[in-house]
Amino acid sequence: MIELYHCHDARSFRALWALEEMGLPYRLHLLPFPPRILQPEYLEQNPLGTIPLLVDGDTRMTESAAIPQYLATRHGPSPLAVEVDEPDYGLWLDWLHRSEATLTFPQTIVLRYTQLEPEERRLKQAADDYAQWFLSRLRHLTRALADREWLCAGRFTMADICVGYALLLARDLGLAHKFSPEVAAYWERLAARPGFIAAKAAQKPA
């Protein structure tokens, strides 16, 4: 059975949501955040101390945007993947990687310097600058949604899960009031999906 090590609403939510969307059986390990400090024995599973960690037989993965791609292709066929012979294959890959490198990364700086660092080490200027970086990159999402409901191939795919997590994080950081009408409506579509709702429920402590 697939195993997923996860912290509430962290990057590993991408993998959890993907598992629920595909209806794959899995075992969920809920960890405190950050696990490398609050549950140091986790380092025996993942020496990086980061989440997610997905274990599927001999396969071990720690990159949150790569895991949905892996699940859709290894455990497919699935409409959540865009195949290499489809016109939007490149666009699908671009959004998968953009979700993390362009949209999530600047928010991790905001998170660090507004919540994770001790009070005396928090840096408002850095947090404000990286929040603006995120919001400026979000304009591309607004443009992309001007004439479509989902990002690729005329259907909901793993790209929407990966980008959707970046919007979830933005909401947790108090940035959602800056969403354009297009992005806000897209978020509502994402949050209404049964897979999203099931993933949110799955991460609640028993």
Side-chain angles (χ1 to χ4, degrees), residues 116-127:
L116 300 183
E117 289 286 350
E119 197 72 39
E120 67 275 10
R121 284 183 48 83
R122 294 184 182 182
L123 300 173
K124 184 178 185 300
Q125 185 66 59

Side-chain angles (χ1 to χ4, degrees), residues 8 37 42 47 61 65 67 77 87 91-92 99 107 117-118 120 125-126 130 138 147 149 154 158 168 183 194 196-197:
H8 183 275
I37 295 172
Y42 173 60
M61 299 182 69
I67 289 170
L91 183 62
W92 182 64
S99 72
Q107 294 190 84
E117 289 286 350
E120 67 275 10
Q125 185 66 59
Y130 277 87
L138 202 61
D147 61 351
E149 184 178 20
M158 290 300 188
L168 173 62
V183 171
F196 176 87
I197 295 168

Side-chain angles (χ1 to χ4, degrees), residues 51-109:
I51 46 90
L53 169 64
L54 181 122
V55 181
D56 183 17
D58 292 333
T59 299
R60 302 173 73 87
M61 299 182 69
T62 60
E63 289 296 326
S64 69
I67 289 170
Q69 180 181 355
Y70 167 84
L71 292 172
T73 52
R74 173 62 65 86
H75 291 279
S78 169
L80 296 170
V82 177
E83 301 298 332
V84 295
D85 57 352
E86 292 185 73
D88 275 359
Y89 174 66
L91 183 62
W92 182 64
L93 292 177
D94 213 35
W95 277 115
L96 285 172
H97 292 278
R98 183 182 290 129
S99 72
E100 176 65 12
T102 302
L103 295 178
T104 302
F105 165 71
Q107 294 190 84
T108 64
I109 306 299

Side-chain angles (χ1 to χ4, degrees), residues 8-9 36 47-48 67 87-88 101-103 133 139 153 158 161 182 194 201 206:
H8 183 275
D9 275 4
R36 65 184 178 276
L48 289 172
I67 289 170
D88 275 359
T102 302
L103 295 178
W133 177 0
R139 295 179 192 136
M158 290 300 188
I161 287 177
E182 293 86 353

